[in-house]
Amino acid sequence: SQWGEENLQALSIQEGEDVTMNCSYKTYTTVVHWYRQDSGRGPALIILIRSNEREKRSGRLRATLDTSSQSSSLSITAAQCEDTAVYFCATDAGGSNAKLTFGKGTKLSVKS
Amino acid sequence: GPKVLQIPSHQIIDMGQMVTLNCDPVSNHLYFYWYKQILGQQMEFLVNFYNGKVMEKSKLFKDQFSVERPDGSYFTLKIQPTALEDSAVYFCASSLTGGGYEQYFGPGTRLTVL
């Protein structure tokens, strides 16, 4: 889980494996953003899933959203070395006063 | 994809000095944001800005902080005076519309206050 008091989570997997990262949130959200952040760079959006969607796919990525349990997940199928990054989920209450509330993130290392 | 630029990439200043961080947002975007990230910690929202005004700011946005975007030029974050705890990476972001849509982030400015 990316919410709460735990530190940045770290996962290390082998190339070709599947991986799932989870995120639970406490406040209302209309959208969950999943960002990846490469070392020394700003976050880049990889999937955006809305509250009326249960699942969203983009290539090898799959995001799920369960508004009843206030949780979201990001899965990567057949991970590759270039998937190595920090992954964040961020909630967004919508409306004109837009702001993202980020989780602590998961540092994913994919080894060959 | 659309790019947000930030100048400078690194800034080192002495405590008490003023610093201005510059952001060149995506050209047709209307909403602008600053976020703060301390090394190894989560990104935290500072402020958003629309139509020439601050719409919302967090408790991290101290009185010493100010933002502006004069005449559609750079969107700036000014800190005056700086404090040691202001050392962090500051990310600018922009979006076409408000909440519920993608925010595009710049590469960040690493600010070190000595």
Side-chain angles (χ1 to χ4, degrees):
Chain A
S1 171
Q2 292 193 68
W3 253 248
E5 298 304 315
E6 70 274 16
N7 293 326
L8 175 71
Q9 188 178 8
L11 288 176
S12 182
I13 61 172
Q14 292 297 122
E15 201 170 27
E17 290 183 345
D18 300 341
V19 62
T20 296
M21 292 164 273
N22 297 300
C23 167
S24 60
Y25 55 91
K26 296 179 181 177
T27 56
Y28 169 76
T29 190
T30 59
V31 177
V32 171
H33 303 238
W34 281 95
Y35 281 84
R36 68 173 279 169
Q37 186 175 23
D38 295 291
S39 181
R41 304 184 71 170
L45 183 74
I46 52 176
I47 279 196
L48 187 153
I49 182 166
R50 300 189 180 280
S51 56
N52 61 351
E53 299 174 305
R54 293 189 61 83
E55 179 181 294
K56 188 91 169 273
R57 291 180 184 267
S58 175
R60 293 183 294 107
L61 304 177
R62 173 179 172 261
T64 66
L65 177 59
D66 184 342
T67 54
S68 62
S69 64
Q70 295 190 295
S71 63
S72 179
S73 70
L74 175 71
S75 299
I76 303 176
T77 302
Q80 300 172 3
C81 292
E82 51 264 37
D83 295 325
T84 294
V86 178
Y87 292 83
F88 296 95
C89 68
T91 57
D92 176 353
S96 58
N97 287 2
K99 67 178 183 183
L100 298 180
T101 303
F102 283 86
K104 295 186 189 297
T106 298
K107 185 174 183 179
L108 177 67
S109 298
V110 183
K111 301 184 187 306
S112 59
Chain B
K3 289 204 184 300
V4 175
L5 305 177
Q6 289 187 243
I7 301 165
S9 56
H10 293 85
Q11 181 84 55
I12 300 173
I13 59 170
D14 291 323
M15 183 176 62
Q17 284 189 319
M18 181 195 76
V19 68
T20 299
L21 308 184
N22 298 291
C23 172
D24 187 10
V26 179
S27 60
N28 61 337
H29 283 187
L30 301 175
Y31 290 78
F32 313 109
Y33 316 82
W34 285 103
Y35 292 85
K36 177 182 180 180
Q37 187 178 40
I38 294 173
L39 185 64
Q41 298 185 23
Q42 68 201 88
M43 186 96 60
E44 294 191 272
F45 169 81
L46 284 176
V47 65
N48 58 16
F49 190 85
Y50 168 73
N51 197 26
K53 292 180 286 201
V54 170
M55 302 298 287
E56 183 176 353
K57 54 188 179 182
S58 73
K59 62 181 186 301
L60 296 179
F61 193 80
K62 304 180 296 183
D63 291 343
Q64 298 90 327
F65 288 33
S66 62
V67 291
E68 63 175 356
R69 191 183 188 215
D71 300 324
S73 61
Y74 286 149
F75 175 51
T76 62
L77 173 65
K78 182 187 291 186
I79 309 174
Q80 181 179 26
T82 51
L84 295 177
E85 60 265 28
D86 296 331
S87 294
V89 180
Y90 291 84
F91 290 95
C92 172
S94 69
S95 64
L96 181 59
T97 62
Y101 292 89
E102 178 172 5
Q103 292 185 19
Y104 292 85
F105 283 78
T109 293
R110 181 176 298 278
L111 176 65
T112 302
V113 181
L114 303 176

